[in-house]
Amino acid sequence: MAQFGTIFKFELKYYLKNKIFVGITLFFVLLIAVVMFLPRVMALVSRDDGSEVPAEREVMLVKVHQPEQAEMFIESFAGVFAGYDVRSTGQDLDEIKEEIAAGNAKCAFILTGATSYIYYVDNLSLYDMNTEMADEALRNVYRMSAMIEGGMTAEQASAAMNVEITGQVESLGKDQIQTFFYTYIMIFALYMVILLYGQMVSANVAAEKSSRAMEVLITSAKPTSMMFGKVLASCLAGLIQLVAIFGSALIFYNLNHAYWEGIGIIAAIFNIPLELLFYMLLFFVLGFLIYAFLFGAIGSTATKLEDINTSTMPLMFLFIAAFIVVMASMSSGTVDNIVMIICSYIPFTSPMAMFTRIAMSTVLWYEVVISIAILIGSVIGIGIMSAKIYRVGVLLYGTTPKISSVIKAVIRA
């Protein structure tokens, strides 16, 4: 235990004093601070003499084919296009095009009939939905005109068209709209941290081997103490970094909560349930450990530091494949498909797959217990096996060893 404590403290101090580690952490904390305080700063800048200046809306020109019905069409367009300053125009086509080209108007609708139009815009955005909204506006006018012709008054037709519909949604399971965002963030954070720290663990082990320092260390400390000390130190360093980043994000969000009201995505991210936060940390730690042990073992078998990327490539492909499966299932909304269920019990994929199912679906308690038990047992088993590979790897110099030779050496050890 004393050996483990010494190695653990040394490795943890290495990470905390590493300039890249500190720099990345500070960069993300500052970036999050800028994003979280941005609405507050914009609100302060937009004020003049203590009063807020309303933002000027973009102009939308509408030319109606029948001037006597202009008021009805303009009212319908104004109701649908609430973000625009909808104006009626009697200009000819060339003048309207000049208005758009000069920036005096964002776009224009030339109504050629009761149910037809031509849409003019300078640069058509990929996300321009104005034509779909114009279709709805014209449908409303057409229905209202039909009602009036059928004997209704304009007020009765307007009341029938603008009837308020109320509905309530009761989810018996999980609301995937609410859970999607923080599930995505956790999976992505796990993906980035494992790739970053896993490579750091394997690189540190390979560097010790290249400098022959590992031979000295292996004679004065048990391989298990060395491997577990290195991996657990890197895991704690990763947790410290994530707590610093996400903790600062939570603090900055609470300081600017009033400026983020109405943005459901942000609220969903920061209102994560405590139960889900517990599972997030649990699967994060176990998932990190199982890959970090493997990265450390692979690093001990590398003959040169330059061979690390090649040696760890199969393991990285396995992890990336698991990440793609989870992301594809999340995007499709079917997180309980057969592939995800199987991946929930495979140690290399369960940290992401099972957590995603817990967050976005209803999973029976014993399924969660089985998955966690398999994962804990795998972490311990892979940790001990990695320590043996670490001990054997000290003596493997020259050419890159074959997997069969490593297995035979581990069995003999």
Side-chain angles (χ1 to χ4, degrees):
M1 182 60 72
Q3 293 176 349
F4 167 79
T6 302
I7 296 170
F8 178 82
K9 292 177 182 178
F10 176 81
E11 293 291 334
L12 182 60
K13 188 181 295 184
Y14 165 78
Y15 284 109
L16 297 181
K17 289 186 176 180
N18 188 290
K19 293 181 179 179
I20 297 177
F21 176 89
V22 175
I24 291 175
T25 305
L26 291 177
F27 170 76
F28 278 107
V29 170
L30 291 175
L31 179 63
I32 291 172
V34 170
V35 173
M36 289 291 105
F37 279 93
L38 185 60
R40 180 188 290 269
V41 173
M42 292 177 64
L44 292 174
V45 171
S46 63
R47 291 179 182 178
D48 183 16
D49 296 330
S51 60
E52 187 173 343
V53 179
E56 185 177 352
R57 294 183 299 171
E58 293 177 322
V59 175
M60 173 185 289
L61 300 177
V62 178
K63 185 175 181 179
V64 183
H65 65 293
Q66 294 181 351
E68 64 274 8
Q69 294 183 333
E71 183 177 354
M72 183 184 298
F73 280 99
I74 295 301
E75 286 181 0
S76 182
F77 270 77
V80 173
F81 293 98
Y84 282 90
D85 179 9
V86 179
R87 300 179 184 178
S88 177
T89 181
Q91 297 172 305
D92 59 33
L93 182 58
D94 291 334
E95 291 175 329
I96 291 174
K97 290 181 178 179
E98 289 177 3
E99 291 285 327
I100 296 174
N104 298 326
K106 177 67 176 178
C107 57
F109 282 94
I110 309 298
L111 305 185
T112 58
T115 57
S116 59
Y117 62 83
I118 302 175
Y119 177 55
Y120 291 94
V121 63
D122 190 14
N123 295 306
L124 185 61
S125 170
L126 180 65
Y127 305 101
D128 193 324
M129 303 292 292
N130 286 348
T131 54
E132 287 82 354
M133 297 172 70
D135 293 345
E136 181 63 25
L138 290 180
R139 274 193 292 266
N140 290 340
V141 173
Y142 186 85
R143 292 166 184 164
M144 187 175 293
S145 299
M147 290 177 183
I148 293 173
E149 292 175 1
M152 282 188 178
T153 64
E155 291 76 14
Q156 290 173 331
S158 179
M161 290 297 299
N162 297 307
V163 62
E164 184 177 352
I165 306 298
T166 58
Q168 185 175 352
V169 178
E170 290 290 342
S171 177
L172 301 180
K174 300 291 179 62
D175 184 355
Q176 293 188 358
I177 297 176
Q178 295 293 326
T179 60
F180 177 85
F181 299 103
Y182 47 71
T183 305
Y184 177 84
I185 290 175
M186 183 273 175
I187 298 300
F188 190 75
L190 179 62
Y191 175 81
M192 295 301 297
V193 170
I194 284 180
L195 289 184
L196 174 63
Y197 285 94
Q199 288 280 26
M200 290 179 69
V201 170
S202 59
N204 290 342
V205 172
E208 289 176 357
K209 181 177 178 179
S210 298
S211 63
R212 303 280 177 161
M214 190 186 292
E215 294 180 0
V216 178
L217 293 172
I218 205 71
T219 58
S220 57
K222 294 181 179 180
T224 306
S225 297
M226 294 186 65
M227 179 59 73
F228 276 80
K230 287 177 177 293
V231 171
L232 291 177
S234 66
C235 180
L236 182 57
L239 278 176
I240 291 173
Q241 188 174 56
L242 289 181
V243 168
I245 293 173
F246 290 107
S248 62
L250 182 60
I251 293 172
F252 296 148
Y253 171 74
N254 288 326
L255 290 174
N256 301 279
H257 181 268
Y259 296 90
W260 289 99
E261 288 183 352
I263 304 179
I265 295 177
I266 301 298
I269 292 174
F270 287 99
N271 292 332
I272 179 172
L274 291 178
E275 178 188 5
L276 206 55
L277 183 61
F278 167 76
Y279 282 120
M280 177 187 293
L281 294 175
L282 178 63
F283 281 107
F284 175 85
V285 171
L286 294 176
F288 178 89
L289 289 176
I290 200 167
Y291 276 96
F293 279 127
L294 291 173
F295 272 109
I298 293 173
S300 67
T301 62
T303 57
K304 296 180 295 183
L305 191 60
E306 293 79 8
D307 295 336
I308 289 297
N309 290 334
T310 304
S311 301
T312 59
M313 192 172 294
L315 183 60
M316 291 180 65
F317 281 157
L318 173 63
F319 182 65
I320 292 172
F323 178 78
I324 292 174
V325 168
V326 172
M327 287 292 104
S329 299
M330 287 179 62
S331 301
S332 65
T334 56
V335 295
D336 278 331
N337 57 67
I338 186 64
V339 177
M340 284 287 285
I341 293 175
I342 294 173
C343 289
S344 298
Y345 302 103
I346 300 175
F348 304 110
T349 58
S350 61
M352 291 186 290
M354 181 54 82
F355 174 78
T356 301
R357 290 182 62 209
I358 292 173
M360 301 184 65
S361 181
T362 301
V363 184
L364 298 176
W365 66 269
Y366 61 84
E367 295 183 76
V368 179
V369 171
I370 292 173
S371 177
I372 293 175
I374 293 175
L375 193 54
I376 292 175
S378 301
V379 168
I380 297 172
I382 290 176
I384 295 173
M385 182 192 69
S386 299
K388 291 183 178 182
I389 295 176
Y390 181 86
R391 182 183 181 90
V392 172
V394 177
L395 307 175
L396 297 176
Y397 289 98
T399 59
T400 303
K402 297 180 179 179
I403 296 178
S404 57
S405 61
V406 172
I407 294 174
K408 290 179 182 178
V410 168
I411 294 174
R412 288 197 299 267

